[in-house]
């Protein structure tokens, strides 16, 4: 019976893995639909902004507040777009090349598109800490040491 149980357990694990992957595919599809919708919204605002600027130039006037409002709206949508794309990358187990933006497998050391060296995630997080460390010892109080000896 142990062998039969082992086969059933293996089959159950495979079915669970397939179910998770199917769920990930559905989630990626939903996110991609959101991306298309957001990109469409951004294009509409670009067109609106262009029309406003054109009409303002033709009229010889300027409404900086209206332009700034459109720019802020575009920036907000681009921020949402970036968040969604990051979720898609996470579900696909990829990250982005810093140089060209191509999708790169998590285990890759070099970008397959441009050949750029891909930094591992822990090193990228450690880099800011290494930069901060040298700044702390800089304000040394060495002139006080001779005064203490005297």
């Amino acid at each position: 019976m142990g062998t039969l149980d082992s086969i059933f357990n293996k089959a159950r694990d495979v079915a669970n893995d397939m179910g998770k992957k199917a769920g990930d595919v559905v989630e990626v599809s939903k996110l991609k639909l959101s991306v298309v919708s957001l990109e469409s919204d951004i294009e509409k605002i670009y067109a609106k902004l262009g029309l406003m600027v054109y009409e303002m130039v033709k009229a010889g006037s300027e409404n900086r507040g209206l332009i700034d409002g459109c720019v802020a709206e575009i920036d907000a949508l681009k921020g949402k777009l970036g968040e969604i794309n990051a979720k898609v990358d996470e579900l696909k187990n990829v990250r982005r090349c810093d140089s060209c933006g191509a999708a790169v497998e998590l285990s890759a050391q070099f970008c397959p598109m441009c050949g750029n060296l891909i930094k591992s995630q822990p090193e990228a997080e450690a880099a800011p800490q290494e930069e901060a460390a040298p700044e702390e010892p800089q304000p040394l109080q060495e002139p006080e040491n001779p005064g203490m000896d005297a």
Side-chain angles (χ1 to χ4, degrees):
M1 278 291 211
T3 304
L4 193 56
D5 288 339
S6 175
I7 291 171
F8 284 131
N9 287 336
K10 184 68 173 174
R12 185 185 65 228
D13 291 344
V14 169
N16 287 339
D17 287 345
M18 289 176 61
K20 182 181 177 342
K21 289 183 191 273
D24 288 350
V25 168
V26 169
E27 183 67 21
V28 167
S29 296
K30 287 179 182 178
L31 291 172
K32 285 186 175 184
L33 285 174
S34 296
V35 165
V36 169
S37 176
L38 282 173
E39 287 174 342
S40 174
D41 292 347
I42 290 170
E43 288 299 319
K44 288 176 186 173
I45 298 169
Y46 277 141
K48 177 180 160 184
L49 179 62
L51 181 61
M52 283 190 310
V53 169
Y54 172 79
E55 289 177 354
M56 286 180 204
V57 169
K58 281 294 258 187
S61 65
E62 184 177 327
N63 186 341
R64 192 69 191 169
L66 197 55
I67 292 172
D68 290 343
C70 282
V71 169
E73 193 174 353
I74 290 169
D75 288 344
L77 290 175
K78 283 188 172 189
K80 289 179 185 177
L81 190 60
E83 291 172 8
I84 291 173
N85 284 327
K87 288 178 186 176
V88 169
D89 288 349
E90 183 180 332
L91 289 170
K92 289 184 168 185
N93 290 320
V94 297
R95 58 183 161 175
R96 295 288 161 177
C97 172
D98 293 332
S99 181
C100 70
V104 180
E105 291 183 22
L106 294 176
S107 62
Q109 294 181 354
F110 295 93
C111 175
M113 299 301 289
C114 70
N116 186 46
L117 177 65
I118 303 296
K119 297 176 184 169
S120 65
Q121 294 297 334
E123 289 176 9
E125 293 172 3
Q129 294 172 354
E130 291 173 9
E131 291 174 10
E135 292 177 356
E136 293 174 10
Q138 287 177 356
L140 295 176
Q141 302 292 333
E142 290 184 28
E144 293 179 280
N145 289 342
M148 294 173 111
D149 291 338

